[in-house]
Amino acid sequence: MHQLPGAWQRTARGAGLLAPDGSSVPTIFAEMSALAAATGALNLGQGFPDEDGPAPVLEAARDAIARGVNQYAPGRGFPDLLSAVAEHQRRFYGLELDPQREVLITVGATEALAATLLALIDSPDDEVVVFEPYYDSYAACVALSGAKLVPVPLQWPDFQPDLEQLASAVTDRTRVILVNDPHNPTGTVFTREVLDELVRLAHRHDAIIVTDEVYEHLVFDGPHVPIATLPGAAERTLSISSAGKTFSLTGWKTGWVTGPAELVTAVLAVKQFLTYVGGSPFQPAIAVGLRLPDAFFASVASEMAEKAQLLGAGLRAAGFDVSTPGGSYFTVVDAAPLGATDADAFCRELPARAGVVGIPLTAFVSPAHRDRYATLVRFAACKRVEVLAEAAERLAGITVA
């Protein structure tokens, strides 16, 4: 068979992973991580921590295994974790949820997103509005669902959208408005004005808001504001989050969807035929994590803010123009002052030039819009302080190409 037909092609094409000859190519994350391993460069590309999560959570997982929590969990998730998620939403945001009807445990936020889009998209005429640059799985899942991706550009250096462009993008064809806040890859936190406009547009065009809030506890200046807490939003909002970023346990792949029972049940109808359930012993452990004291959650944000400041200072000293992040793991820079004209080529050369790996922002945009972000690069601050300090020292030696 010369070319294998199937939905994989539109999925790969949506994520920019289909070569001109029709073959599939690796993600930029896999490619750059392999380059880091091959060259000994410090990997500030892929967004995973290099430290373990809190000891009580790790111990709870070991205890669950020892107690025999090793078979399938219930389809919606273990009741204790469902309750812990509902308690978390009430404790931090004042949202009241029925844990048995308005919470669903998923295999990370990625599965939650895929199941949500597959559940809600009903026609090739449906559109999904996203902010661009966007996390690559958004484009892949939208393409898999058969819908049309409608990107709204975020502008350097603050990465807030133009509200007129946003209003033009949302129409009666819009089925889902997909929002990542705090935002990957830019590190921006959207203003209240932007969030209010999203809710207004969703009501005007009868769209569903889907929020990816995996960095909710990594906001650097003030508390996170979920869209579901805004007036008129909860009735049409599905909120997605996970344990990976908050607890530095990305490999556990434990996430959740919360929102109106009708919408959550629709997601369950699809999710149960994707993975059915995730790793059982991780669920009671994450329930322990979600009930940790307020001081833990405050420390997560403050420590990441300090790391972002350390990384930002090193990047500025190296000669980059730097966008100051409002949250998340990531800092975006403009490499043009160092002679870059193509971020992709710059990132492939950077391990040899400076012993550091970053990710070109063009990996997160549609092909037609690559020129808007041609010289921008994303670096991840979710590493040990000594690694960030060493990266700053290495970058200080870089010269203009």
Side-chain angles (χ1 to χ4, degrees):
M1 187 178 297
H2 179 66
Q3 190 176 66
L4 183 67
W8 75 270
Q9 288 193 32
R10 68 172 182 266
T11 305
R13 186 179 297 110
L17 300 179
L18 202 65
D21 65 359
S23 62
S24 179
V25 298
T27 69
I28 190 68
F29 310 104
E31 187 177 351
M32 298 309 290
S33 290
L35 185 59
T39 62
L42 299 176
N43 189 357
L44 304 190
Q46 197 165 0
F48 58 84
D50 57 2
E51 297 177 281
D52 269 339
V57 180
L58 302 179
E59 183 56 37
R62 288 189 285 265
D63 179 65
I65 293 171
R67 290 187 293 106
V69 186
N70 301 305
Q71 309 307 323
Y72 292 130
R76 283 184 178 264
F78 281 116
D80 188 48
L81 181 53
L82 296 174
S83 294
V85 171
E87 292 165 16
H88 172 276
Q89 297 301 88
R90 181 189 310 115
R91 171 184 170 188
F92 288 100
Y93 311 126
L95 291 168
E96 296 291 340
L97 296 170
D98 178 346
Q100 300 304 317
R101 301 174 63 246
E102 297 179 320
V103 182
L104 172 65
I105 306 306
T106 60
V107 182
T110 302
E111 188 205 29
L113 173 73
T116 296
L117 291 174
L118 291 170
L120 298 180
I121 299 302
D122 194 40
S123 162
D125 296 326
D126 286 345
E127 295 180 351
V128 178
V129 172
V130 299
F131 290 125
E132 184 179 55
Y134 44 74
Y135 182 49
D136 62 343
S137 75
Y138 296 176
C141 290
V142 169
L144 177 61
S145 73
K148 178 184 177 182
L149 187 78
V150 179
V152 176
L154 301 176
Q155 302 293 342
W156 168 273
D158 64 354
F159 294 110
Q160 296 292 325
D162 179 278
L163 295 186
E164 290 186 3
Q165 288 183 318
L166 175 59
S168 296
V170 181
T171 71
D172 289 344
R173 295 184 299 278
T174 304
R175 178 65 172 154
V176 170
I177 302 173
L178 177 55
V179 185
N180 179 203
D181 186 31
H183 185 259
N184 175 15
T186 69
T188 197
V189 172
F190 293 114
T191 66
R192 178 60 184 265
E193 184 181 19
V194 171
L195 301 183
D196 285 339
E197 179 66 358
L198 289 168
V199 177
R200 185 188 74 82
L201 291 168
H203 274 276
R204 179 178 180 181
H205 297 286
D206 195 27
I208 297 170
I209 301 171
V210 177
T211 67
D212 175 351
E213 303 180 32
V214 297
Y215 298 102
E216 62 184 316
H217 289 294
L218 296 173
V219 178
F220 302 152
D221 185 18
H224 172 59
V225 179
I227 290 181
T229 64
L230 303 186
E235 66 198 54
R236 59 177 62 247
T237 299
L238 280 171
S239 302
I240 294 172
S241 194
S242 76
K245 306 303 191 295
T246 297
F247 301 110
S248 296
L249 297 168
T250 59
W252 285 19
K253 298 299 295 178
T254 303
W256 48 86
V257 183
T258 62
E262 181 182 21
L263 293 178
V264 171
T265 298
V267 177
L268 172 62
V270 172
K271 178 263 183 297
Q272 64 191 346
F273 297 112
L274 296 177
T275 60
Y276 179 47
V277 292
S280 289
F282 299 135
Q283 292 197 27
I286 297 305
V288 169
L290 290 173
R291 293 173 174 134
L292 287 174
D294 289 355
F296 165 77
F297 293 93
S299 71
V300 170
S302 63
E303 289 172 9
M304 190 57 63
E306 291 173 3
K307 290 181 176 182
Q309 290 171 2
L310 174 62
L311 175 61
L315 292 166
R316 288 185 181 90
F320 294 98
D321 285 341
V322 179
S323 172
T324 301
S328 86
Y329 281 171
F330 306 109
T331 295
V332 172
V333 305
D334 189 351
L338 293 175
T341 58
D342 180 338
D344 188 78
F346 178 85
C347 287
R348 293 177 195 281
E349 297 166 358
L350 191 60
R353 291 177 65 187
V356 176
V357 166
I359 297 288
L361 218 64
T362 48
F364 303 91
V365 304
S366 51
H369 299 156
R370 288 174 63 93
D371 288 349
R372 295 176 180 170
Y373 309 95
T375 59
L376 303 185
V377 177
R378 189 195 79 172
F379 291 98
C382 53
K383 309 298 178 180
R384 299 189 312 278
V385 168
E386 56 267 33
V387 172
L388 297 174
E390 172 66 17
E393 185 176 335
R394 293 186 183 188
L395 288 166
I398 196 171
T399 57
V400 176

